[in-house]
Amino acid sequence: MNFLTSNPLTKTGRKFAYYQIGFSISVVSICVLVTYFCWGLTYAVSALAGGAIGIIPNIVFAYKAFKYAGAKSSKLVVESFFSGVKLKMALAALLFALAFKFLVIVPLPFFGMFCLVMALPLLTPFFIKI
Protein backbone atom coordinates (compact mmCIF):
# COMPACT_ATOMS: atom_id res chain seq x y z
CA MET A 1 0.00 0.00 0.00
CA ASN A 2 1.39 3.38 -0.94
CA PHE A 3 0.90 5.56 2.13
CA LEU A 4 2.29 8.63 0.40
CA THR A 5 -0.72 9.03 -1.86
CA SER A 6 -3.42 7.16 0.02
CA ASN A 7 -3.41 8.83 3.45
CA PRO A 8 -5.33 12.12 3.37
CA LEU A 9 -4.02 13.10 6.82
CA THR A 10 -0.52 13.64 5.46
CA LYS A 11 -1.70 15.91 2.65
CA THR A 12 -1.54 19.23 4.54
CA GLY A 13 1.85 18.60 6.12
CA ARG A 14 3.33 17.32 2.88
CA LYS A 15 1.88 20.29 0.97
CA PHE A 16 3.38 22.79 3.42
CA ALA A 17 6.74 21.00 3.35
CA TYR A 18 6.83 21.14 -0.45
CA TYR A 19 5.87 24.83 -0.45
CA GLN A 20 8.62 25.47 2.06
CA ILE A 21 11.14 23.64 -0.11
CA GLY A 22 9.97 25.58 -3.16
CA PHE A 23 10.34 28.83 -1.23
CA SER A 24 13.87 27.80 -0.21
CA ILE A 25 14.78 26.98 -3.80
CA SER A 26 13.45 30.37 -4.93
CA VAL A 27 15.39 32.29 -2.28
CA VAL A 28 18.60 30.36 -3.02
CA SER A 29 18.20 30.94 -6.77
CA ILE A 30 17.76 34.68 -6.31
CA CYS A 31 20.68 34.90 -3.89
CA VAL A 32 22.95 32.88 -6.20
CA LEU A 33 22.10 35.16 -9.14
CA VAL A 34 22.80 38.27 -7.05
CA THR A 35 26.06 36.72 -5.84
CA TYR A 36 27.09 35.87 -9.39
CA PHE A 37 26.49 39.38 -10.72
CA CYS A 38 28.13 41.08 -7.72
CA TRP A 39 31.10 38.82 -6.93
CA GLY A 40 31.52 36.31 -9.75
CA LEU A 41 31.27 32.64 -10.54
CA THR A 42 33.39 31.21 -7.71
CA TYR A 43 31.30 32.95 -5.07
CA ALA A 44 28.06 31.94 -6.81
CA VAL A 45 29.10 28.26 -7.01
CA SER A 46 29.96 28.36 -3.31
CA ALA A 47 26.58 29.88 -2.50
CA LEU A 48 24.79 27.34 -4.68
CA ALA A 49 26.64 24.47 -3.01
CA GLY A 50 25.74 25.76 0.45
CA GLY A 51 22.10 26.15 -0.55
CA ALA A 52 21.96 22.69 -2.13
CA ILE A 53 23.46 21.12 0.99
CA GLY A 54 20.64 22.70 2.97
CA ILE A 55 17.81 21.91 0.55
CA ILE A 56 18.52 18.33 -0.60
CA PRO A 57 18.41 16.80 2.92
CA ASN A 58 15.19 18.75 3.59
CA ILE A 59 13.58 17.15 0.54
CA VAL A 60 14.54 13.69 1.79
CA PHE A 61 13.25 14.53 5.27
CA ALA A 62 9.92 15.81 3.93
CA TYR A 63 9.47 12.60 1.98
CA LYS A 64 10.24 10.42 5.01
CA ALA A 65 8.45 12.50 7.67
CA PHE A 66 5.08 12.76 5.96
CA LYS A 67 4.78 9.17 4.92
CA TYR A 68 2.34 8.14 7.69
CA ALA A 69 -0.35 9.84 9.77
CA GLY A 70 -3.21 9.03 12.09
CA ALA A 71 -3.73 7.51 15.51
CA LYS A 72 -3.42 3.95 14.24
CA SER A 73 -0.06 4.78 12.69
CA SER A 74 1.37 6.77 15.60
CA LYS A 75 4.35 4.44 16.04
CA LEU A 76 5.08 4.60 12.30
CA VAL A 77 4.82 8.41 12.39
CA VAL A 78 7.42 8.67 15.16
CA GLU A 79 9.69 6.13 13.46
CA SER A 80 9.44 7.91 10.11
CA PHE A 81 10.33 11.27 11.71
CA PHE A 82 13.33 9.78 13.54
CA SER A 83 14.57 7.94 10.47
CA GLY A 84 14.02 11.10 8.41
CA VAL A 85 16.11 13.17 10.81
CA LYS A 86 18.88 10.57 10.86
CA LEU A 87 18.91 10.35 7.08
CA LYS A 88 18.86 14.15 6.78
CA MET A 89 21.88 14.54 9.06
CA ALA A 90 23.84 11.75 7.36
CA LEU A 91 23.08 13.15 3.91
CA ALA A 92 24.08 16.66 4.97
CA ALA A 93 27.38 15.34 6.35
CA LEU A 94 28.02 13.42 3.13
CA LEU A 95 27.23 16.46 0.98
CA PHE A 96 29.53 18.65 3.10
CA ALA A 97 32.34 16.12 2.70
CA LEU A 98 31.81 15.95 -1.07
CA ALA A 99 31.72 19.74 -1.36
CA PHE A 100 34.94 20.17 0.61
CA LYS A 101 36.67 17.45 -1.39
CA PHE A 102 35.61 18.36 -4.93
CA LEU A 103 34.76 22.08 -4.95
CA VAL A 104 36.75 25.23 -4.43
CA ILE A 105 34.73 26.78 -1.62
CA VAL A 106 34.61 30.42 -0.61
CA PRO A 107 33.56 30.12 3.05
CA LEU A 108 31.36 33.21 3.48
CA PRO A 109 28.85 32.59 0.67
CA PHE A 110 28.94 28.82 1.27
CA PHE A 111 28.15 28.89 4.97
CA GLY A 112 26.03 32.03 4.65
CA MET A 113 23.69 30.34 2.18
CA PHE A 114 23.60 27.14 4.24
CA CYS A 115 22.65 29.13 7.35
CA LEU A 116 20.02 31.06 5.38
CA VAL A 117 18.43 27.81 4.20
CA MET A 118 18.43 26.51 7.78
CA ALA A 119 16.71 29.72 8.98
CA LEU A 120 14.10 29.86 6.19
CA PRO A 121 11.65 27.46 7.89
CA LEU A 122 11.26 30.09 10.60
CA LEU A 123 10.28 32.70 7.99
CA THR A 124 8.19 30.56 5.66
CA PRO A 125 4.91 30.80 7.67
CA PHE A 126 4.98 34.58 7.19
CA PHE A 127 5.09 34.21 3.40
CA ILE A 128 3.09 31.03 2.76
CA LYS A 129 -0.45 30.54 4.03
CA ILE A 130 -2.16 27.22 3.49
Side-chain angles (χ1 to χ4, degrees), residues 63-80:
Y63 174 77
K64 292 284 288 181
F66 296 106
K67 203 170 189 178
Y68 307 103
K72 292 181 182 178
S73 303
S74 62
K75 186 174 181 181
L76 291 172
V77 170
V78 172
E79 287 175 5
S80 69

mmCIF file of all heavy atoms in Angstrom, residues 63-80:
data_model
loop_
_atom_site.group_PDB
_atom_site.id
_atom_site.type_symbol
_atom_site.label_atom_id
_atom_site.label_comp_id
_atom_site.label_asym_id
_atom_site.label_seq_id
_atom_site.Cartn_x
_atom_site.Cartn_y
_atom_site.Cartn_z
ATOM 1 N N TYR A 63 9.985 13.854 2.520
ATOM 2 C CA TYR A 63 9.468 12.601 1.979
ATOM 3 C C TYR A 63 9.278 11.561 3.082
ATOM 4 O O TYR A 63 8.244 10.905 3.163
ATOM 5 C CB TYR A 63 10.408 12.058 0.894
ATOM 6 C CG TYR A 63 10.003 10.698 0.400
ATOM 7 C CD1 TYR A 63 8.934 10.557 -0.481
ATOM 8 C CD2 TYR A 63 10.669 9.561 0.826
ATOM 9 C CE1 TYR A 63 8.549 9.301 -0.921
ATOM 10 C CE2 TYR A 63 10.295 8.307 0.400
ATOM 11 C CZ TYR A 63 9.223 8.181 -0.478
ATOM 12 O OH TYR A 63 8.845 6.939 -0.894
ATOM 13 N N LYS A 64 10.297 11.427 3.948
ATOM 14 C CA LYS A 64 10.237 10.420 5.014
ATOM 15 C C LYS A 64 9.250 10.810 6.119
ATOM 16 O O LYS A 64 8.516 9.967 6.621
ATOM 17 C CB LYS A 64 11.617 10.214 5.642
ATOM 18 C CG LYS A 64 12.642 9.575 4.769
ATOM 19 C CD LYS A 64 12.440 8.105 4.613
ATOM 20 C CE LYS A 64 12.791 7.383 5.885
ATOM 21 N NZ LYS A 64 12.630 5.950 5.793
ATOM 22 N N ALA A 65 9.225 12.075 6.503
ATOM 23 C CA ALA A 65 8.451 12.503 7.666
ATOM 24 C C ALA A 65 6.948 12.446 7.430
ATOM 25 O O ALA A 65 6.189 12.181 8.354
ATOM 26 C CB ALA A 65 8.862 13.912 8.070
ATOM 27 N N PHE A 66 6.511 12.715 6.223
ATOM 28 C CA PHE A 66 5.075 12.764 5.962
ATOM 29 C C PHE A 66 4.590 11.538 5.205
ATOM 30 O O PHE A 66 3.708 11.609 4.359
ATOM 31 C CB PHE A 66 4.719 14.054 5.213
ATOM 32 C CG PHE A 66 4.998 15.267 6.049
ATOM 33 C CD1 PHE A 66 6.081 16.071 5.768
ATOM 34 C CD2 PHE A 66 4.207 15.581 7.129
ATOM 35 C CE1 PHE A 66 6.360 17.179 6.552
ATOM 36 C CE2 PHE A 66 4.469 16.679 7.914
ATOM 37 C CZ PHE A 66 5.556 17.483 7.625
ATOM 38 N N LYS A 67 5.165 10.419 5.551
ATOM 39 C CA LYS A 67 4.777 9.167 4.921
ATOM 40 C C LYS A 67 3.547 8.568 5.600
ATOM 41 O O LYS A 67 2.707 7.969 4.950
ATOM 42 C CB LYS A 67 5.955 8.193 4.995
ATOM 43 C CG LYS A 67 5.952 7.122 3.985
ATOM 44 C CD LYS A 67 7.292 6.395 4.030
ATOM 45 C CE LYS A 67 7.379 5.443 2.872
ATOM 46 N NZ LYS A 67 8.661 4.752 2.837
ATOM 47 N N TYR A 68 3.431 8.731 6.919
ATOM 48 C CA TYR A 68 2.340 8.140 7.688
ATOM 49 C C TYR A 68 1.653 9.207 8.519
ATOM 50 O O TYR A 68 2.242 10.219 8.861
ATOM 51 C CB TYR A 68 2.861 7.054 8.633
ATOM 52 C CG TYR A 68 3.699 6.006 7.950
ATOM 53 C CD1 TYR A 68 5.095 6.014 8.064
ATOM 54 C CD2 TYR A 68 3.108 5.012 7.191
ATOM 55 C CE1 TYR A 68 5.868 5.059 7.443
ATOM 56 C CE2 TYR A 68 3.875 4.052 6.565
ATOM 57 C CZ TYR A 68 5.247 4.077 6.694
ATOM 58 O OH TYR A 68 6.008 3.134 6.074
ATOM 59 N N ALA A 69 0.387 8.946 8.890
ATOM 60 C CA ALA A 69 -0.353 9.845 9.774
ATOM 61 C C ALA A 69 -1.511 9.080 10.387
ATOM 62 O O ALA A 69 -1.918 8.032 9.891
ATOM 63 C CB ALA A 69 -0.867 11.062 9.008
ATOM 64 N N GLY A 70 -2.040 9.626 11.457
ATOM 65 C CA GLY A 70 -3.206 9.028 12.092
ATOM 66 C C GLY A 70 -2.875 8.330 13.388
ATOM 67 O O GLY A 70 -1.731 7.970 13.663
ATOM 68 N N ALA A 71 -3.913 8.134 14.205
ATOM 69 C CA ALA A 71 -3.734 7.513 15.510
ATOM 70 C C ALA A 71 -3.291 6.057 15.393
ATOM 71 O O ALA A 71 -2.490 5.580 16.185
ATOM 72 C CB ALA A 71 -5.031 7.602 16.304
ATOM 73 N N LYS A 72 -3.789 5.355 14.405
ATOM 74 C CA LYS A 72 -3.421 3.951 14.237
ATOM 75 C C LYS A 72 -1.967 3.804 13.794
ATOM 76 O O LYS A 72 -1.363 2.764 13.996
ATOM 77 C CB LYS A 72 -4.335 3.273 13.210
ATOM 78 C CG LYS A 72 -5.757 3.121 13.682
ATOM 79 C CD LYS A 72 -6.599 2.429 12.644
ATOM 80 C CE LYS A 72 -8.030 2.322 13.106
ATOM 81 N NZ LYS A 72 -8.900 1.689 12.114
ATOM 82 N N SER A 73 -1.436 4.822 13.195
ATOM 83 C CA SER A 73 -0.063 4.776 12.685
ATOM 84 C C SER A 73 0.902 5.578 13.540
ATOM 85 O O SER A 73 1.968 5.955 13.078
ATOM 86 C CB SER A 73 -0.025 5.326 11.256
ATOM 87 O OG SER A 73 -0.892 4.632 10.416
ATOM 88 N N SER A 74 0.552 5.865 14.788
ATOM 89 C CA SER A 74 1.372 6.774 15.597
ATOM 90 C C SER A 74 2.809 6.274 15.753
ATOM 91 O O SER A 74 3.747 7.071 15.720
ATOM 92 C CB SER A 74 0.739 7.003 16.960
ATOM 93 O OG SER A 74 0.651 5.793 17.675
ATOM 94 N N LYS A 75 2.984 4.975 15.914
ATOM 95 C CA LYS A 75 4.346 4.443 16.038
ATOM 96 C C LYS A 75 5.112 4.627 14.729
ATOM 97 O O LYS A 75 6.290 5.000 14.742
ATOM 98 C CB LYS A 75 4.302 2.965 16.415
ATOM 99 C CG LYS A 75 5.654 2.392 16.709
ATOM 100 C CD LYS A 75 5.571 0.968 17.211
ATOM 101 C CE LYS A 75 6.970 0.467 17.499
ATOM 102 N NZ LYS A 75 6.983 -0.894 17.973
ATOM 103 N N LEU A 76 4.436 4.409 13.604
ATOM 104 C CA LEU A 76 5.079 4.604 12.297
ATOM 105 C C LEU A 76 5.416 6.073 12.055
ATOM 106 O O LEU A 76 6.430 6.388 11.429
ATOM 107 C CB LEU A 76 4.182 4.086 11.174
ATOM 108 C CG LEU A 76 3.991 2.577 11.102
ATOM 109 C CD1 LEU A 76 2.931 2.225 10.074
ATOM 110 C CD2 LEU A 76 5.303 1.899 10.787
ATOM 111 N N VAL A 77 4.561 6.970 12.542
ATOM 112 C CA VAL A 77 4.820 8.411 12.388
ATOM 113 C C VAL A 77 6.108 8.783 13.110
ATOM 114 O O VAL A 77 6.983 9.452 12.550
ATOM 115 C CB VAL A 77 3.631 9.248 12.914
ATOM 116 C CG1 VAL A 77 3.983 10.717 12.986
ATOM 117 C CG2 VAL A 77 2.407 9.032 12.058
ATOM 118 N N VAL A 78 6.226 8.350 14.359
ATOM 119 C CA VAL A 78 7.424 8.668 15.156
ATOM 120 C C VAL A 78 8.666 8.051 14.511
ATOM 121 O O VAL A 78 9.697 8.714 14.384
ATOM 122 C CB VAL A 78 7.247 8.177 16.607
ATOM 123 C CG1 VAL A 78 8.538 8.317 17.397
ATOM 124 C CG2 VAL A 78 6.135 8.950 17.283
ATOM 125 N N GLU A 79 8.552 6.796 14.099
ATOM 126 C CA GLU A 79 9.694 6.133 13.464
ATOM 127 C C GLU A 79 10.096 6.819 12.162
ATOM 128 O O GLU A 79 11.287 6.956 11.871
ATOM 129 C CB GLU A 79 9.372 4.663 13.201
ATOM 130 C CG GLU A 79 9.354 3.812 14.441
ATOM 131 C CD GLU A 79 8.916 2.376 14.175
ATOM 132 O OE1 GLU A 79 8.715 2.010 12.991
ATOM 133 O OE2 GLU A 79 8.781 1.631 15.150
ATOM 134 N N SER A 80 9.108 7.256 11.378
ATOM 135 C CA SER A 80 9.441 7.910 10.111
ATOM 136 C C SER A 80 10.103 9.265 10.351
ATOM 137 O O SER A 80 11.002 9.653 9.614
ATOM 138 C CB SER A 80 8.214 8.046 9.212
ATOM 139 O OG SER A 80 7.291 8.962 9.735
#
